Amino acid sequence: MTAVLTSTRIHKNLSPEQLIAQATSLGLARSSASGAPVVLTGKFTGRSPKDKFFVHEKDSQIHWNDFNLPLEEKYFHLLKTDLLEYLNSKEEIWCQEVYAGADLRYRVGLTCYTEFPDSSLFTKNMFIQPEADFRSDWTLYQAPGFQADPAIHGTRQENFAVISLHHKTILIGGTGYTGEIKKGMFTVMNYLLPTEKDVLTMHCSANQGKDGDVALFFGLSGTGKTTLSADPSRRLIGDDEHAWTEDGIFNLEGGCYAKVIDLSPENEPQIFGAIRGQALLENVVFLPNSNAIDFSDKSITENTRVSYPLSYIPDAILPSVGGVPKNIFFLTCDAFGVLPPISKLDPEQAMYFFLNGYTAKIAGTEEGVKEPKPTFSTCFGAPFLPLKPSVYAEMLKEKIATSGAQVWMVNTGWTGGGYGVGERMKLRYTRAMISAALSGALKEVITQTHPTFGVEIPLCCPGVPSHLLNPQNTWEDKSLYRTESDKLAALFAKNHEKFSL
């Protein structure tokens, strides 16, 4: 017999104010100085990629790898039955009916059931609210208090995120990290839109200039995707997930999920200003004897977060739909201090860097990391891509060719040496370089070819000291720079080998 929700009292589509009040009364949330509620997500303060599964179903096009792990269908049914039995044992649960996809032609309805009201608030913040009659296509069940038994349910450990394409269902349990909800549905859209609608999905942020020119920002966590797209001089379309049709782009979400570690009103005024009302802060720490947030405190996690509706960003584009992109930025945080702060890519180089999806983790961001650690995440989003990387790469290649978009690589990481020796590129310089690229100021600038990577480096840029533009100039030991540059290039080449197999 199919498992269903039965005797539970379901709070359906409550307002943010009601959800915050309930989360507070249950002891799950505490109000911050700005009025935004603060919650803890428990043991898990980030996603657990090794515990994400697709149900192994006939005729699916899943590309099985370390991020797309198979789960037998019998285990899916056991998990769903036991998870729903757990939810039915609760006095109350919460439900939100929302959409993924700002373009009405491609949106997907999601009914999201959660064990706690704060998770329901997150869902309300992050997805698109129905204006009229709601059509549900997919169902998501999230129960942080339910733990799987690997011997019975076929999981790796007690936490899990399971997607069934056939049953149009997502099961999340054993973890209170709300990012699993967001990325679970993003993963679904990354399957549905390319295979069923011939629409490219992308892990990128997007904004639009006064003249309607659209820019995309690809990048892994910590590279500045959210920060750089929240530009006061441009209108935000979205900070993380988009799709590209023949007409232009649209946001897959209705909100933003920003990192807030070391957040300040000077460096990130739009994000700082969004922390109010129904914005939901996760795993941040209060200053002693107050309800003011210490954004520098990493004692719980470096992955402190806030979710808020897109409307909290001044002059954001709503509905979040834009035209065909004119500029595309690949963001990388190069902790080796090798890559130029900005460089111009030709179409072949764009595909090379897109498939590699490079950044570097630094000491303190992950247990056991003592020195910079290169990280390659295909298409800047490997954990969320259920199809072969070549599918997304070929679609992007075609989009670049037909649109004429210019692709840039921007290093938001180190200069003058690697982590621990050099210093991180100042945000104001990175913003100036991106602004120059967007305005066309770099179009006719004389460039120099990087001797190792072959990309074109502008030799001057308004608002940026010229010596910073060529990274070799910032190193005292030029021969060491060339050695480190060759090392990084070799890592790129080795990683890229798997795409030619």
Side-chain angles (χ1 to χ4, degrees):
M1 184 176 177
T2 304
V4 293
L5 290 175
T6 55
S7 60
T8 304
R9 180 186 176 194
I10 301 175
H11 298 287
K12 192 173 181 180
N13 297 327
L14 295 189
S15 69
E17 293 76 18
Q18 290 172 310
L19 294 169
I20 293 170
Q22 290 179 340
T24 303
S25 68
L26 290 171
L28 299 171
R30 178 179 168 188
S31 182
S32 65
S34 68
V38 175
V39 297
L40 301 176
T41 62
K43 175 182 176 182
F44 292 94
T45 58
R47 290 178 299 101
S48 185
K50 293 182 180 179
D51 298 294
K52 188 193 82 176
F53 302 89
F54 273 95
V55 179
H56 201 294
E57 295 162 330
K58 186 180 179 181
D59 299 330
S60 77
Q61 301 175 42
I62 301 297
H63 177 57
W64 304 110
N65 55 28
D66 291 341
F67 299 111
N68 300 319
L69 303 172
L71 186 74
E72 290 183 45
E73 190 167 11
K74 66 178 182 179
Y75 291 128
F76 166 78
H77 290 299
L78 285 170
L79 263 177
K80 184 180 178 184
T81 297
D82 291 349
L83 187 150
L84 264 62
E85 183 179 343
Y86 172 84
L87 289 176
N88 283 332
S89 72
K90 300 297 173 181
E91 291 185 4
E92 53 188 348
I93 63 171
W94 286 262
C95 172
Q96 290 290 334
E97 295 174 323
V98 293
Y99 283 110
D103 189 321
L104 299 182
R105 298 172 297 175
Y106 303 107
R107 69 182 184 180
V108 175
L110 174 67
T111 302
C112 186
Y113 295 99
T114 61
E115 182 179 359
F116 301 119
D118 49 306
S119 299
S120 193
L121 176 62
F122 174 87
T123 304
K124 199 170 192 72
N125 283 345
M126 292 308 303
F127 292 94
I128 298 166
Q129 304 303 304
E131 299 89 12
D133 294 338
F134 175 73
R135 182 202 72 239
S136 183
D137 303 297
W138 276 69
T139 306
L140 184 150
Y141 302 95
Q142 183 240 28
F146 173 78
Q147 295 189 339
D149 183 339
I152 296 174
H153 299 117
T155 58
R156 186 178 72 99
Q157 51 186 22
E158 72 276 4
N159 63 298
F160 58 89
V162 176
I163 298 171
S164 169
L165 294 167
H166 177 72
H167 297 284
K168 297 184 178 181
T169 299
I170 303 172
L171 306 176
I172 298 172
T175 172
Y177 182 64
T178 52
E180 296 283 13
I181 297 174
K182 162 189 161 71
K183 291 304 188 186
M185 197 57 197
F186 180 43
T187 302
V188 168
M189 299 296 277
N190 283 335
Y191 184 92
L192 297 180
L193 293 187
T195 59
E196 297 182 2
K197 305 293 184 180
D198 195 30
V199 169
L200 170 64
T201 49
M202 306 169 291
H203 185 216
C204 69
S205 58
N207 63 25
Q208 180 176 292
K210 293 181 177 66
D211 297 327
D213 61 298
V214 171
L216 303 181
F217 300 81
F218 288 84
L220 302 175
S221 179
T223 58
K225 184 160 46 54
T226 298
T227 299
L228 293 169
S229 60
D231 184 339
S233 68
R234 295 173 64 84
R235 299 184 66 188
L236 183 68
I237 300 173
D239 83 327
D240 196 46
E241 304 170 3
H242 292 83
W244 190 342
T245 71
E246 59 183 15
D247 305 321
I249 67 158
F250 66 91
N251 194 351
L252 296 176
E253 301 181 295
C256 301
Y257 193 40
K259 294 186 77 169
V260 295
I261 198 69
D262 294 323
L263 183 71
S264 70
E266 295 77 24
N267 287 336
E268 297 167 284
Q270 290 197 334
I271 297 173
F272 193 89
I275 300 177
R276 54 189 168 85
Q278 70 190 71
L280 181 66
L281 285 157
E282 296 178 347
N283 301 315
V284 295
V285 177
F286 291 100
L287 289 165
N289 303 313
S290 80
N291 63 347
I293 305 298
D294 182 355
F295 288 108
S296 67
D297 194 312
K298 307 172 184 178
S299 58
I300 296 176
T301 178
E302 292 223 5
N303 191 36
T304 52
R305 293 272 182 172
V306 63
S307 67
Y308 49 85
L310 192 62
S311 60
Y312 273 31
I313 295 295
D315 209 27
I317 294 178
L318 294 169
S320 44
V321 177
V324 174
K326 186 177 179 181
N327 287 279
I328 299 172
F329 297 91
F330 294 163
L331 306 177
T332 178
C333 176
D334 178 24
F336 298 95
V338 165
L339 294 176
I342 189 166
S343 52
K344 195 175 184 179
L345 310 184
D346 63 31
E348 184 177 341
Q349 291 168 338
M351 287 302 98
Y352 183 80
F353 286 103
F354 182 65
L355 281 169
N356 276 302
Y358 165 74
T359 192
K361 294 178 180 177
I362 59 174
T365 60
E366 187 176 283
E367 187 176 353
V369 177
K370 304 299 182 185
E371 57 186 26
K373 179 182 178 182
T375 300
F376 295 96
S377 185
T378 307
C379 306
F380 296 99
F384 325 120
L385 304 182
L387 303 173
K388 289 184 178 180
S390 59
V391 172
Y392 306 97
E394 287 300 319
M395 292 181 81
L396 180 62
K397 183 179 180 180
E398 182 181 345
K399 294 292 187 186
I400 291 172
T402 55
S403 67
Q406 176 60 56
V407 183
W408 309 84
M409 181 168 63
V410 173
N411 175 19
T412 62
W414 271 253
T415 185
Y419 177 78
V421 176
E423 61 179 22
R424 188 143 192 195
M425 184 63 61
K426 289 180 171 57
L427 180 59
R428 70 173 184 272
Y429 292 151
T430 300
R431 287 195 188 279
M433 287 181 275
I434 289 175
S435 294
L438 291 170
S439 69
L442 297 184
K443 190 172 183 180
E444 304 300 331
V445 166
I446 296 174
T447 62
Q448 180 178 13
T449 303
H450 191 279
T452 306
F453 288 94
V455 297
E456 294 300 314
I457 307 171
L459 294 184
C460 63
C461 176
V464 182
S466 295
H467 76 279
L468 291 178
L469 296 171
N470 186 334
Q472 181 171 289
N473 295 338
T474 66
W475 284 57
E476 287 187 19
D477 188 333
K478 311 301 184 189
S479 63
L480 180 59
Y481 172 81
R482 291 189 290 271
T483 298
E484 292 300 307
S485 186
D486 289 341
K487 282 183 183 178
L488 184 58
L491 292 174
F492 266 89
K494 183 176 181 180
N495 182 71
H496 200 74
E497 287 176 0
K498 62 189 177 188
F499 303 117
S500 58
L501 296 178

